[in-house]
Amino acid sequence: MTQSPPPPRAKSGKTKAVPQGELFLLDSPLHGEIRGERSLMAFPFFALAKNAWMKPLAYNTDSVSIEVRPSASGVATIYDKEIVLYIASLMAAKIEAGEDVAQDFVFTAHDLFSVTGSNHSARSYARLSEALERLQGTQIKTNIEAGGEGEEGFFSWLSEAKLHYSKTRSGERRLKAVKVRLCDWLYRAILRDRQVLNYATAYFQLGPIERRIYEVARSTSDSERMEVDLATFRLQIGYQNPLANFRTALKQIAGADAIPDYRLELVETVGEAEPARRGRKSNPVRVVLTPRVAELPEPADESGAESATAEPERAE
């Protein structure tokens, strides 16, 4: 269900701007949509937290194993993932434009914030530094192959991350560019596998659980209905709290109905009841994700007149 890539962008012939006093070219601004690699959508590689998450993460099935270890600053979070998505989008755009693609990327924080909808405050720049540190420090081990190759041992999302500053006459530091080196695993996946899917713009306005629900739906049920039991879905989302808490959270999310492009439903099944808190029992729940169908305008009849159900024109 891989989405067909859009046609290559026409080359403008313009040379990208070189920051004053630096010897590297900028890969930003990003042209096109935010996109992500399918495996990063389907599986829980990031902590569902806004602040530091200090506990290891693990995901294991018969075919997939993922182990994530925190650094001294914690595990990379779902909000830190915005940087990875931005870099993946820059890389995909360069591939489509027929440009040579290396693992090093240089971009401005201003463009990153503009694309992801972050404000341009001093706090955002401080959070960027913290996020880069977690992305470089988090250790990941998985048996998921990338580009036809597997890896033994741990890797980090970014093998290098640097903030390049200049100084004003008063000695104030001003961030000019961010330079990162993407890990081999993700670089191979994007370059060779081409399993890259676009994200809805509204993704960046979602909370942590909603983001993961959208990603799982986008990666596994592009045009088909997805149905899974609650416990399995909890593991795939990467939710760390008890199952009862997850069920409550999903009920609220289903009621809000704010997942872009997908509708979430919880369906109770008749059968042996599951134990709940304080000895109560509840029916097993299955999670159903259905792609939203775009509403089409009512067609005109053969005479060209509007349908009889159309609203009549208002009299002047």
Side-chain angles (χ1 to χ4, degrees):
M1 297 185 292
T2 306
Q3 185 179 12
S4 299
R9 295 173 298 150
K11 295 185 179 180
S12 63
K14 296 181 180 179
T15 304
K16 292 185 177 181
V18 181
Q20 186 178 1
E22 298 292 350
L23 299 178
F24 45 73
L25 299 177
L26 288 175
D27 294 303
S28 60
L30 172 66
H31 298 284
E33 299 173 304
I34 279 288
R35 283 167 284 182
E37 200 277 329
R38 185 184 288 272
S39 293
L40 262 65
M41 282 184 163
F43 302 112
F45 284 97
F46 295 83
L48 299 183
K50 194 164 188 177
N51 299 316
W53 181 270
M54 305 306 298
K55 299 178 182 179
L57 304 176
Y59 175 83
N60 290 285
T61 67
D62 293 339
S63 58
V64 175
S65 68
I66 298 171
E67 181 181 353
V68 182
R69 292 181 181 177
S71 66
S73 57
V75 170
T77 72
I78 192 74
Y79 292 96
D80 302 337
K81 186 178 184 178
E82 293 179 358
I83 300 173
V84 176
L85 295 179
Y86 177 79
I87 297 167
S89 303
L90 289 174
M91 182 172 174
K94 292 180 74 172
I95 291 173
E96 290 171 2
E99 299 177 16
D100 293 333
V101 180
Q103 288 176 252
D104 293 331
F105 293 87
V106 183
F107 55 89
T108 63
H110 184 278
D111 189 54
L112 169 67
F113 297 156
S114 298
V115 169
T116 59
S118 301
N119 59 49
H120 299 265
S121 66
R123 180 59 187 137
S124 292
Y125 285 90
R127 283 196 294 263
L128 171 60
S129 179
E130 295 165 2
L132 291 171
E133 184 176 345
R134 283 189 293 269
L135 290 170
Q136 190 175 10
T138 297
Q139 296 287 297
I140 307 100
K141 183 178 182 180
T142 181
N143 66 347
I144 300 174
E145 294 182 353
E149 298 179 25
E151 289 189 6
E152 286 288 342
F154 288 84
F155 63 87
S156 299
W157 297 118
L158 303 177
S159 57
E160 181 180 320
K162 295 179 180 180
L163 299 175
H164 289 262
Y165 289 93
S166 62
K167 281 191 176 182
T168 64
R169 292 182 179 179
S170 62
E172 179 185 1
R173 292 199 309 175
R174 289 187 177 177
L175 181 60
K176 299 183 70 175
V178 182
K179 183 177 181 181
V180 300
R181 176 167 293 174
L182 195 61
C183 66
D184 295 343
W185 183 85
L186 186 52
Y187 175 76
R188 290 198 312 271
I190 297 172
L191 183 65
R192 300 179 188 173
D193 296 337
R194 304 292 177 94
Q195 297 286 304
V196 179
L197 301 174
N198 68 293
Y199 274 68
T201 304
Y203 170 84
F204 297 106
Q205 281 72 57
L206 301 176
I209 302 174
E210 291 94 328
R211 290 187 180 201
R212 282 295 300 138
I213 293 172
Y214 171 79
E215 289 183 320
V216 170
R218 183 74 181 88
S219 65
T220 58
S221 59
D222 188 23
S223 60
E224 300 176 1
R225 181 176 183 268
M226 172 185 174
E227 183 172 341
V228 64
D229 67 88
L230 187 67
T232 299
F233 194 61
R234 171 178 168 268
L235 293 176
Q236 193 168 7
I237 293 298
Y239 189 81
Q240 298 297 308
N241 292 326
L243 188 64
N245 295 34
F246 185 55
R247 178 173 179 169
T248 300
L250 288 190
K251 281 185 177 179
Q252 295 175 349
I253 293 170
D257 194 25
I259 304 298
D261 304 328
Y262 299 92
R263 186 178 302 279
L264 171 70
E265 296 178 272
L266 298 183
V267 180
E268 291 192 0
T269 58
V270 179
E272 184 177 351
E274 297 175 333
R277 290 175 294 179
R278 298 182 181 178
R280 293 177 297 177
K281 292 187 177 182
S282 59
N283 291 326
V285 171
R286 295 188 69 79
V287 179
V288 179
L289 284 163
T290 309
R292 298 182 189 271
V293 178
E295 295 183 1
L296 299 176
E298 293 189 16
D301 59 26
E302 293 182 358
S303 64
E306 293 184 355
S307 169
T309 59
E311 183 179 349
E313 291 184 4
R314 186 175 57 185
E316 294 294 339

